[in-house]
Amino acid sequence: MAAMIARSASSAVVARPQRQAVKAQASLKPSVKATPAVRPAGAANMMVWQPVNNKQFETFSYLPPLTSDQIARQVDYIVSNGWIPCLEFSSPETAYVSNNNTVRFGSVTSNYYDNRYWTMWKLPMFGCTDASAVLKEVAAASRACPAAYIRLVAFDNVRQVQIMSFLVQRPKGASDYCELRSRSLA
C-alpha cells in the first residue's frame, strides 16, 4: 500500500502556470491614509478620578441633575418603548451600596454588597401607556419623601431585564453631586 502511494505521488505531474510580472492597472488608486475624525487625547487631557465625595448613581449620574422637562422626555421614551416604569426611594444613609454593616465569611459572598435594592414606591406601573401618570407618581413620591433619593427604573418584560434607572430627585441638602470639572485631581 505504501509503495503504491509513493509510486502515484512520484508519477503525478502538477501543471503550474508560468509566473508573469503583475502590472498595475490604471483604474486602481494608491491607498490613502485616512485622517482620524477625533484627535487622540493627550496626557494633558486625561482626568485622574477624584475618589472623595464623587459618588455617582445609575444611568445619567455623570450629568447635572435632570430638569422636570428632561425627566418628562425620559418618561415618554420609557412608555413609548412599552417598558414598565417603577419608582424606588431610599434614605441618604442607605442609598449607596456598602459592605460595612455585615460580616462575610469566605469567598462565597465576594462582590456581594448590601443596599443594592431600594424600597419600591407602590407597585411597578404594569400596562402604563400614559407618561403623565408616571410624572404624577414622581410628584407624589417627592412630596411624601422630600429627604430621600428617588429613582425611576424601567423594566423590559419581554427580555426580563432592567433597562435603565436614573435619579428623579436628590435630597435637598445632598452634596454628593460633583461637577465634571471638579471630578479630577489634576
Side-chain angles (χ1 to χ4, degrees):
M1 179 74 148
M4 198 158 83
I5 293 174
R7 200 173 342 122
S8 67
S10 63
S11 64
V13 177
V14 179
R16 293 197 172 121
Q18 296 285 332
R19 288 193 170 196
Q20 297 176 355
V22 178
K23 295 180 182 177
Q25 295 182 354
S27 62
L28 297 177
K29 296 181 180 177
S31 63
V32 178
K33 184 178 179 185
T35 58
V38 179
R39 290 183 61 175
N45 296 335
M46 293 183 188
M47 295 174 58
V48 177
W49 193 255
Q50 167 66 271
V52 179
N53 197 25
N54 197 9
K55 296 177 180 177
Q56 304 300 316
F57 288 97
E58 313 295 337
T59 307
F60 300 117
S61 62
Y62 60 93
L63 296 173
L66 298 176
T67 64
S68 297
D69 183 50
Q70 291 169 330
I71 292 170
R73 284 188 274 169
Q74 292 302 320
V75 170
D76 286 336
Y77 183 72
I78 290 169
V79 171
S80 67
N81 280 306
W83 298 333
I84 300 167
C86 177
L87 288 173
E88 297 176 337
F89 63 98
S90 180
S91 67
E93 298 81 30
T94 60
Y96 293 102
V97 294
S98 70
N99 206 17
N100 299 333
N101 59 349
T102 307
V103 177
R104 307 273 183 225
F105 297 103
S107 61
V108 174
T109 57
S110 64
N111 293 328
Y112 176 83
Y113 296 98
D114 290 324
N115 305 335
R116 291 176 293 166
Y117 302 107
W118 291 8
T119 305
M120 234 189 308
W121 174 262
K122 298 185 179 179
L123 291 174
M125 296 174 226
F126 298 106
C128 181
T129 57
D130 184 16
S132 64
V134 178
L135 295 173
K136 287 177 187 173
E137 288 300 321
V138 169
S142 297
R143 280 192 307 273
C145 307
Y149 287 96
I150 300 175
R151 69 180 171 197
L152 179 62
V153 183
F155 296 102
D156 186 345
N157 64 337
V158 175
R159 291 187 267 175
Q160 298 186 359
V161 294
Q162 176 181 322
I163 297 296
M164 66 187 293
S165 68
F166 58 94
L167 289 180
V168 293
Q169 174 184 298
R170 291 177 189 267
K172 301 289 184 216
S175 62
D176 56 357
Y177 176 72
C178 191
E179 291 288 334
L180 184 60
R181 65 181 171 271
S182 60
R183 291 184 188 177
S184 178
L185 293 174

